[in-house]
Amino acid sequence: MTRQNRITPEGAIVADPARGMFMGNRGILHDDMGRITAPFRHRNWVCCVLEFKGRERKLMQPGCYTELFFLDEALALAAGHRPCADYNRFREAWAKTTGSKPSAKEIDATLHEARVVPRLRVQRTHEADLTDLPDGTFIRGARTPALILGDRLLPWSPSGYGASSPRPGSGRVTVLTPAPTVAVLKAGYRPALHPSAS
């Protein structure tokens, strides 16, 4: 049975058999039957590597956090998560945008405000000119979300990126990656990308 534990660039939790490169959590989101009952339970949304010191977990155990999976780190950032394994590198880039190194709690609070519309509990988006957006940013495409990479736009699917199209020279777009994270990407943070992006 395919579990509902894959994350889209819009932050939705969907069922898909594709295996991603990263995992993360937003708290205990499932009931004892493994059904998703909430989009998040706390503000410290993280993304982590799939393997760490040989540890293994049984997925969606009652009373344990819900394991969520991402195609790659760029997608996790677009969905509003912050790195766990690369936290220090992310924090250094964040400091370049603000002038000081915030705590994880401060980063989480800022990201939460930028990623979620209160009460509706849906993804908050923002508008920007395409020329101002750095590599690793996700935008809303005509048919599917797209990743910006150099002079290309790569359409997303749960199993990888599709054939690229040229990145337009300008134009307003809807940005899925939270604004503070876009600033971190501009400051030089480079997320790990799925092999299909190359």
Side-chain angles (χ1 to χ4, degrees):
M1 179 180 93
T2 301
R3 297 178 185 271
Q4 185 183 355
N5 58 8
R6 285 357 185 219
I7 303 297
T8 73
E10 294 98 342
I13 306 170
V14 300
D16 192 278
R19 181 175 167 89
M21 294 173 54
F22 286 81
M23 69 164 290
N25 84 78
R26 302 174 182 174
I28 303 170
L29 311 181
H30 62 281
D31 62 18
D32 289 349
M33 301 297 291
R35 296 173 297 212
I36 298 297
T37 60
F40 61 89
R41 294 286 186 200
H42 55 62
R43 292 180 172 203
N44 53 321
W45 299 11
V46 297
C47 71
C48 308
V49 293
L50 290 177
E51 296 180 17
F52 182 72
K53 296 184 179 181
R55 295 179 186 168
E56 293 187 15
R57 293 181 57 89
K58 289 185 179 180
L59 298 182
M60 292 187 162
Q61 290 297 299
C64 296
Y65 75 79
T66 304
E67 299 85 354
L68 303 172
F69 295 91
F70 313 97
L71 175 67
D72 60 14
E73 190 179 16
L75 186 145
L77 296 178
H81 292 248
R82 66 165 168 82
C84 176
D86 264 347
Y87 168 70
N88 287 327
R89 191 167 60 92
F90 186 81
R91 187 173 175 235
E92 295 275 342
W94 188 292
K96 289 179 184 177
T97 71
T98 62
S100 64
K101 287 186 184 176
S103 66
K105 186 175 181 180
E106 291 168 324
I107 289 174
D108 292 338
T110 300
L111 282 178
H112 197 70
E113 186 175 320
R115 71 184 167 221
V116 175
V117 177
R119 297 192 192 126
L120 297 178
R121 297 169 72 94
V122 297
Q123 184 185 43
R124 182 188 300 275
T125 61
H126 56 105
E127 302 293 312
D129 194 289
L130 196 51
T131 57
D132 293 334
L133 297 173
D135 286 359
T137 301
F138 265 93
I139 62 170
R140 182 168 289 144
R143 294 189 182 95
T144 186
L147 175 75
I148 295 173
L149 190 59
D151 61 357
R152 302 177 295 148
L153 295 178
L154 291 95
W156 168 85
S157 78
S159 59
Y161 297 103
S164 67
S165 60
R167 177 180 177 171
S170 63
R172 300 292 289 177
V173 292
T174 300
V175 184
L176 302 177
T177 306
T181 304
V182 171
V184 169
L185 294 173
K186 281 184 181 179
Y189 187 84
R190 292 294 169 258
L193 300 178
H194 190 266
S196 61
S198 59

